[in-house]
Amino acid sequence: MTIRNILRMGDPRLWQVALPVADFTTPALADLIADMFDTMHAAGGVGLAAPQIGVGLQVVIFGFESSERYPDAEAVPQTVLINPTITPLGKAEASDWEGCLSVPGLRGAVPRPARVRYQGYDPAGQPIDRTVDGFHARVVQHECDHLIGRLYPSRIRDFTRFGYTDVLFPELLK
Ligand code: ZN
């Protein structure tokens, strides 16, 4: 399919709230999802939200077996999640490093609910309902933030742990 241009922070389209998908059967939705995977894989990312390629719909993808960007992260199943909702479970928070293909070259330590339930639909319209923690919980929250016009820097509280990837993690970028 097509590798699409990824919008970068500063583009006003990244601040908009995405609309729910109304019809799961359209070729346009299938094309969008295929393009999102091509774009995410070409960029070496672990997740992508439709608004990052300028499409204001509630579609996110994520998942990987192993990642050069996040070498310590456990595998996350490859997932297409449409019209998602996220419910934090419990009060526990976890803080860990995040990057974003729309914020290239930077990483930040982001506090988020440690354990969440997420619900939504797959491209066939079948329900998805998972309870997750660890990096899986982090990546789904990060991607769904894109659907409400949030980028991870707006979630950072400790700005001493926000910086350029090659300064923070020189071993990551050889
Ligand atoms: Zn992102």
Side-chain angles (χ1 to χ4, degrees):
M1 299 301 291
T2 309
I3 296 170
R4 306 272 288 265
N5 183 44
I6 298 176
L7 306 183
R8 289 180 302 144
M9 185 168 62
D11 191 303
R13 288 171 286 182
L14 291 170
W15 308 129
Q16 291 173 359
V17 176
L19 297 173
V21 172
D23 184 351
F24 287 63
T25 62
T26 63
L29 180 62
D31 288 348
L32 170 65
I33 292 165
D35 286 358
M36 287 174 67
F37 274 108
D38 287 347
T39 302
M40 180 180 82
H41 290 144
V46 299
L48 191 74
Q52 291 181 274
I53 58 169
V55 176
L57 289 172
Q58 294 178 14
V59 180
V60 303
I61 65 171
F62 52 84
F64 59 94
E65 282 292 319
S66 65
S67 169
E68 286 183 16
R69 277 170 69 86
Y70 300 96
D72 297 329
E74 71 268 22
V76 173
Q78 180 167 292
T79 302
V80 179
L81 183 63
I82 300 171
N83 298 350
T85 60
I86 295 184
T87 308
L89 300 176
K91 295 219 181 324
E93 278 191 348
S95 186
D96 207 347
W97 295 98
E98 297 185 20
C100 180
L101 297 175
S102 294
V103 191
L106 293 163
R107 293 287 173 99
V110 182
R112 294 188 185 275
R115 184 174 167 83
V116 298
R117 176 184 183 185
Y118 68 88
Q119 294 160 282
Y121 298 91
D122 75 9
Q126 296 301 307
I128 293 173
D129 185 343
R130 294 176 181 158
T131 295
V132 297
D133 54 17
F135 196 78
H136 192 159
R138 179 166 301 281
V139 73
V140 72
Q141 291 179 85
H142 175 115
E143 296 313 328
C144 291
D145 265 357
H146 282 293
L147 304 181
I148 57 169
R150 291 291 296 261
L151 298 178
Y152 81 82
S154 76
R155 301 270 186 207
I156 292 173
R157 293 185 209 138
D158 176 0
F159 282 89
T160 68
R161 301 218 298 159
F162 180 46
Y164 292 99
T165 309
D166 60 335
V167 177
L168 290 163
F169 304 106
E171 71 281 4
L172 262 188
L173 301 175
K174 297 179 190 74

